[in-house]
Amino acid sequence: MRDFGIKITDIIKSVLMSEREFLHEPRFNDEEVKNLKKCIESTFVSTVGQYVNQFENEIATYTKSKRAIAVVNGTSALHVALKLSGVGEGEEVICPALTFVATANAISYLNAIPHFVDCNEKTLGIDPLSLGNWLDKNCEKIAGNLINKNTGRKISAIVPMHTFGHPSEIIQIIDIAKNFGIPVVEDAAESLGSFYHGRHTGTFGDFGVLSFNGNKIITTGGGGVILTNDINLANKAKHITSTAKLSHRWRYIHDQVGYNYRMPNLNAALGCAQLKKIDDFCKSKRNLFFKYEDAFRNFNGISLFKEPPFSRSNYWLQTLILDRGLENELEKILEYTNDNGIMTRPAWDLLPNLKMFKECPKAPLPIAQSLSNRIINIPSSAYLV
Ligand SMILES: Cc1ncc(COP(=O)(O)O)c(C=O)c1O
């Protein structure tokens, strides 16, 4: 039955008053042009320049994180945050099965192994209850380390993720991580502008990570930030993302193998202009949610995902969820909407189903699997209405 696809397409077109829509487009005006022009005229377009410092300070102020270190993308931010959390070769890192591949890729860059856990329907993020039970049953403390009894490997960190901008139950997840003695790197790539109990996502864990890819709520073209309240770790992050170069007026002295991960000034110039609009973008996306909520209210078989309790979400990607039993409609809906001018996307395939992660340890994943078969992201750009 193609009814679902037709109805969804009609509703979205009527809400957006448009015949064609992308999933998420960046929004620019003179502010970005002015900053980019100034940056080009300064000739400081690369990894040194005043916009990088300004962007870092403004992100730190906005998120109320003690420090923010700007890097080339969210994936490199995750890589460095995990490294500085002490994740080593052959160790396991807990992460959601339902997330973008970058979360697990960053773990793999350290020759560590993702260990996938389930999420819940309330937040789309890691489910604290099933996480606690899984760790209780499958892990033990040996000589101060958390060991997976099934693999004998150390579990050295956890990476919760705030899905489509909606905060996961990060306080509860951090409590569990503390109980088991593992550090937390929050993958807040999608959740700039989202708060849990009034506190910005990405500032609860030992580290938080943001992304400014072109599809995110604000963009630097490509870019990311490492957030931390630990000044010592912040200094280390800044150092190793800048090729571990010691400060000297003319000598090239590097005290370890570092990474060329610093965000270029040109990207930061774009970011400074974009960040000024974050409140307007969040407001516009929230309004769009209310319009979709009205329009989909009486649509049997489909619900629009609403921010979880105790959260203020940035509503980065608007999300429809098919009722259980309607999984067979997913592909047909995606095909019809995309064929008819409305860009839609499913959730990611579960990461443990990808060939490079098939052998990785995993908890039972009934909710993540079910959600992955029922989620549809619909056009979500700011200022669409
Ligand atoms: C959940 C999640 N983690 C990590 C990333 C990686 O960010 P980037 O694309 O900036 O490397 C993204 C976004 O692309 C993401 O959605």
Side-chain angles (χ1 to χ4, degrees), residues 73-75 78 99-100 102-103 161 187 189-190 211 213 216 223:
N73 53 45
T75 312
L78 279 171
T99 179
F100 181 55
T103 317
M161 197 275 280
D187 185 342
E190 304 179 352
S211 165
N213 189 19
K216 296 299 186 295

Side-chain angles (χ1 to χ4, degrees), residues 214-349:
N215 64 352
K216 296 299 186 295
I217 188 157
I218 71 161
T219 185
T220 58
V225 144
I226 301 166
L227 301 174
T228 181
N229 287 320
D230 184 320
I231 301 299
N232 183 35
L233 286 175
N235 290 339
K236 283 187 180 165
K238 185 119 169 172
H239 185 59
I240 67 165
T241 54
S242 320
T243 68
K245 186 179 179 299
L246 299 180
S247 178
H248 192 285
R249 280 175 62 208
W250 53 81
R251 293 226 168 266
Y252 297 100
I253 307 164
H254 306 261
D255 62 356
Q256 58 178 294
V257 176
Y259 303 92
N260 183 14
Y261 279 175
R262 286 285 283 153
M263 178 184 281
N265 204 37
L266 202 56
N267 300 78
L270 192 59
C272 289
Q274 285 268 286
L275 191 54
K276 286 190 178 158
K277 302 169 190 163
I278 182 70
D279 290 339
D280 288 341
F281 287 162
C282 286
K283 205 164 138 197
S284 162
K285 283 163 160 293
R286 180 166 291 270
N287 283 340
L288 180 59
F289 167 77
F290 289 134
K291 297 212 171 188
Y292 277 144
E293 192 182 39
D294 251 6
F296 282 102
R297 197 180 302 280
N298 298 318
F299 198 135
N300 281 339
I302 283 186
S303 51
L304 182 70
F305 190 82
K306 190 179 174 158
E307 69 192 345
F310 312 112
S311 297
R312 182 147 183 104
S313 175
N314 66 1
Y315 279 106
W316 171 55
L317 281 191
Q318 309 283 348
T319 303
L320 296 176
I321 305 188
L322 288 167
D323 286 357
R324 283 170 193 270
L326 292 177
E327 293 81 358
N328 288 341
E329 297 298 323
L330 181 75
E331 241 16 68
K332 288 182 266 177
I333 293 170
L334 292 167
E335 188 179 355
Y336 187 87
T337 48
N338 282 291
D339 280 352
N340 287 279
I342 296 302
M343 189 168 166
T344 57
R345 288 287 179 267
W348 314 278
D349 285 357

